[in-house]
Amino acid sequence: MLNQYRYLVDFNTDELEKEYFDAVIVGSGIAGVYTALVIPDNLHIAILTKETLDISNSVLAQGGIAVSLDKEDSPELHFKDTIFAGAGLCNEDSVWVLVNEAAENINSLCKFGVNFDKSGKGELALGREAAHSKNRIIHVGDATGKEVCDKLIHNVLNKKNVEIKERTFAIDILTSDGKCNGVLAYDEDSGKLKVYASPNVVCATGGYGQLYEYTTNPEVATGDGTCMAYRAGATLMDLEFVQFHPTVLYHPDNKSFLISEAVRGEGARLINAEGKRFMQEYHELMELAPRDVVARSIFKEMKKTNSSNVYLDITFKDSEYIKKRFPTIYSTCLKYGIDITKDYIPVAPAEHYSMGGIKTDAYGRTNIEGFFACGEAGCNGIHGANRLASNSLLEGLVFGRRIGQEIANRRIDKTEAVSVNYKTDRKLLSIDRDAIKKDIKRTMTEYVGIERNEQGLLTAREKIRNYKSQVENLKNESIKDFEIQNMLTLSELVINSALERKESRGAHYRSDYSKRDDENWKRHILVQRKI
Ligand code: SIN
């Protein structure tokens, strides 16, 4: 029961205001803004962002960026760790690109003014995170994403060829004859639709954490870019692989604040509700086991002890060191009455990252000519079934730059805006939008979370389909409408993929197929809408 409508709204391009660009980038996280900085100055670019330029998932990234800089480290070791975490589903060619092009992109970040923490010798300080065999996480305290995004935004604001369109919701891409011609967007301030015509459109809209009750993602992460790609016929891949971060603050007033894996990288221990350390029972790497393993182990301990959280203990470290290394975590927890230098931190897993997304090649190209995807919205297979910590900002940089270069090399004349007159008989309906959103999240959390099984997935699909039949013929008019449609579409696609993968691999754990099945399932689940 998938959506019949090609576009979320009815419109006639002849009646809409149009602007022409050489490239339109949707999304203002690290992938989108860095791509804009790579595209040469002679090309006219627009960045469309749903909220303001500074709101993105990237800004919230704490841990850092993985890069093999140590004498003892190498791109080969980084490659090996990425492949190991990815549980047999990584695209090895893309992973080689990632690890080999990491250092040069970090150099560019330094040139853009990003001030990474230094060691005593003046070199970039290298931290440790789970499943990395070497110290290779460069960071800026525990607010790496913020520093990187601030500096990139500062640079992009100085570029005369880049126009920023805030509070602009990209509804759909416009296509004809398998080519992308631009974006149909909703201007939140005027309430009007507008066409951003362009032969190059980059989707860097992030993931879909908002399908879940608790997520480290910002409110804007409702998977809109993935859905606009899907409606236009782009292939999606690996949607069943949703990563849950093991340690997210668990407090009555905040269940979305990340407690970085770097805290465990500094030696923090996980303690269950009965005061016992437990990771030794699950994995030899203990607290530094791959993220999916740690999240599932915590989930099991919570069930075993009938508790809604476990604890993270870093109190044995020098308190001044903790405050200096983790200033954001220290001050945020303190606001909730938790002094991390003295108290255990209550934590529970929460949705953090979607490994799946819009299928691309190693140049960010999708199956629609002129339509590119990168960052969390894209899926070139580097994360496989489980992303290695701190590979996500890196992915945005490496493949954002490749897209920027690819766009510079495409010799395309300015596009004539495609002419579309799309009319349906959808109607205004009175529905409780907030209640539907809440129930989507509850359903996905309960049945499509850390542990899944066929019965639960079928229950979830029925509930989602019920809502879909209620809103299918809704005349979508507001951002809430667009989001609900996207959330329902994506939930169903994630559930379908999770039902289809009858094995447990990486972040996809099926209690009814608890083993990995390399013989039959070493392949990707692809999803494409027939148009
Ligand atoms: C963290 O700081 O734990 C998050 C890092 C990541 O998601 O890669």
Side-chain angles (χ1 to χ4, degrees):
M1 191 208 147
L2 291 161
N3 278 25
Q4 53 169 313
Y5 296 111
R6 163 65 183 88
Y7 295 101
L8 268 188
V9 291
D10 295 359
F11 64 104
N12 180 353
T13 48
D14 291 346
E15 293 163 2
L16 300 180
E17 189 189 336
K18 297 181 194 71
E19 279 193 76
Y20 295 82
F21 292 91
D22 296 301
V24 171
I25 297 168
V26 187
S28 62
I30 191 170
V33 176
Y34 191 68
T35 303
L37 287 167
V38 173
I39 296 175
D41 291 353
N42 63 328
L43 297 184
H44 189 201
I45 307 167
I47 298 181
L48 315 186
T49 183
K50 188 173 169 181
E51 258 296 334
T52 48
L53 200 50
D54 57 338
I55 294 184
S56 67
N57 209 4
S58 309
V59 171
L60 302 175
Q62 292 181 357
I65 308 181
V67 53
S68 54
L69 295 177
D70 193 75
K71 283 195 295 298
E72 313 264 288
D73 200 1
S74 62
E76 285 75 19
L77 289 174
H78 187 182
F79 174 86
K80 236 173 114 191
D81 293 343
T82 302
I83 298 289
F84 173 69
L89 275 196
C90 293
N91 176 328
E92 297 198 358
D93 292 342
S94 302
V95 179
W96 278 122
V97 170
L98 181 85
V99 298
N100 284 330
E101 295 183 10
E104 57 208 69
N105 281 287
I106 298 307
N107 254 333
S108 323
L109 280 193
C110 294
K111 288 193 189 128
F112 282 127
V114 177
N115 195 11
F116 290 107
D117 291 348
K118 309 285 182 317
S119 68
K121 294 183 205 147
E123 290 158 354
L124 296 187
L126 301 173
R128 176 68 70 95
E129 286 182 8
H132 285 275
S133 58
K134 298 285 172 199
N135 286 11
R136 63 166 76 98
I137 314 300
I138 57 169
H139 50 82
V140 184
D142 57 357
T144 311
K146 170 127 184 37
E147 162 74 5
V148 171
C149 289
D150 283 354
K151 291 289 157 54
L152 294 183
I153 287 173
H154 172 81
N155 281 278
V156 94
L157 287 173
N158 284 329
K159 292 209 39 155
K160 293 202 170 57
N161 63 321
V162 181
E163 287 188 42
I164 311 293
K165 311 282 183 183
E166 293 187 320
R167 293 163 63 74
T168 299
F169 187 104
I171 299 176
D172 274 303
I173 55 167
L174 301 166
T175 49
S176 69
D177 301 329
K179 287 190 192 138
C180 182
N181 315 83
V183 177
L184 173 72
Y186 172 80
D187 179 281
E188 210 186 327
D189 294 330
S190 66
K192 288 195 175 136
L193 298 177
K194 190 166 167 182
V195 172
Y196 292 92
S198 177
N200 298 297
V201 172
V202 182
C203 182
T205 49
Y208 39 89
Q210 288 297 333
L211 296 189
Y212 291 85
E213 263 177 319
Y214 304 120
T215 175
T216 58
N217 290 191
E219 297 225 338
V220 290
T222 45
D224 309 306
T226 316
C227 283
M228 83 176 174
Y230 173 71
R231 279 189 295 276
T235 307
L236 309 184
M237 178 167 112
D238 288 351
L239 297 180
E240 69 277 27
F241 296 114
V242 178
Q243 182 167 75
F244 287 78
H245 196 288
T247 56
V248 177
L249 182 65
Y250 191 85
H251 184 276
D253 299 329
N254 192 331
K255 296 191 177 80
S256 61
F257 178 70
L258 186 67
I259 308 294
S260 174
E261 203 156 88
V263 179
R264 274 174 287 133
E266 293 283 349
R269 301 167 189 145
L270 284 162
I271 309 287
N272 71 14
E274 290 164 359
K276 291 197 193 109
R277 196 171 180 191
F278 55 87
M279 275 310 299
Q280 68 282 359
E281 287 167 33
Y282 295 96
H283 200 281
E284 58 186 9
L285 292 172
M286 305 205 22
E287 279 83 358
L288 291 182
R291 201 171 267 182
D292 59 316
V293 175
V294 183
R296 266 195 309 279
S297 309
I298 292 176
F299 187 70
K300 288 203 173 104
E301 287 296 310
M302 282 165 33
K303 269 199 192 161
K304 234 196 289 187
T305 57
N306 196 20
S307 165
S308 37
N309 64 285
V310 296
Y311 297 91
L312 196 58
D313 172 22
I314 183 101
T315 56
F316 50 86
K317 278 270 205 201
D318 175 68
S319 67
E320 287 315 305
Y321 180 77
I322 295 176
K323 288 184 206 168
K324 188 153 179 271
R325 177 71 180 87
F326 301 114
T328 316
I329 297 175
Y330 173 75
S331 60
T332 306
C333 287
L334 208 54
K335 275 203 269 176
Y336 297 102
I338 304 155
D339 178 346
I340 67 168
T341 66
K342 298 194 188 101
D343 304 322
Y344 287 3
I345 313 167
V347 291
E351 197 284 345
H352 183 58
Y353 191 87
S354 32
M355 268 71 75
I358 306 159
K359 183 175 186 292
T360 74
D361 66 8
Y363 293 89
R365 293 179 291 219
T366 69
N367 57 316
I368 298 174
E369 196 182 322
F371 182 56
F372 302 83
C374 57
E376 195 174 349
C379 180
N380 58 24
I382 58 163
H383 305 308
N386 178 49
R387 176 174 64 84
L388 182 68
S390 287
N391 265 353
S392 54
L393 294 184
L394 181 61
E395 176 193 14
L397 296 172
V398 169
F399 295 97
R401 183 173 75 159
R402 286 182 149 231
I403 291 175
Q405 291 166 342
E406 182 65 20
I407 288 175
N409 291 334
R410 285 185 89 218
R411 306 228 169 268
I412 307 273
D413 292 334
K414 262 209 168 73
T415 194
E416 278 308 310
V418 63
S419 176
V420 181
N421 185 0
Y422 190 72
K423 290 272 173 285
T424 67
D425 55 4
R426 288 176 281 191
K427 298 185 179 52
L428 291 175
L429 299 171
S430 140
I431 46 164
D432 187 342
R433 290 159 175 78
D434 291 329
I436 296 178
K437 265 190 168 184
K438 217 167 155 189
D439 204 36
I440 296 172
K441 287 161 172 273
R442 203 180 301 129
T443 304
M444 292 298 285
T445 303
E446 184 166 351
Y447 301 109
V448 202
I450 293 183
E451 252 187 54
R452 297 121 185 231
N453 60 53
E454 179 157 306
Q455 194 45 54
L457 291 167
L458 290 172
T459 306
R461 188 162 68 181
E462 199 183 321
K463 283 174 145 241
I464 296 295
R465 284 184 172 173
N466 258 333
Y467 283 126
K468 282 184 84 174
S469 58
Q470 282 176 41
V471 303
E472 187 176 39
N473 295 316
L474 170 68
K475 182 167 159 35
N476 301 301
E477 287 199 320
S478 66
I479 289 188
K480 250 186 206 167
D481 292 344
F482 309 147
E483 286 182 344
I484 283 180
Q485 300 288 2
N486 288 338
M487 287 169 75
L488 286 169
T489 299
L490 206 41
S491 295
E492 184 170 3
L493 295 176
V494 171
I495 294 167
N496 285 346
S497 301
L499 272 166
E500 192 172 336
R501 184 171 288 281
K502 293 183 177 15
E503 63 153 357
S504 287
R505 181 185 292 274
H508 173 69
Y509 183 81
R510 292 269 309 246
S511 55
D512 48 352
Y513 295 94
S514 60
K515 296 263 174 325
R516 185 161 137 178
D517 176 3
D518 278 338
E519 211 168 294
N520 301 305
W521 278 101
K522 224 169 161 192
R523 59 189 158 93
H524 299 278
I525 295 174
L526 303 176
V527 172
Q528 193 180 13
R529 179 176 180 272
K530 289 196 180 48
I531 46 172

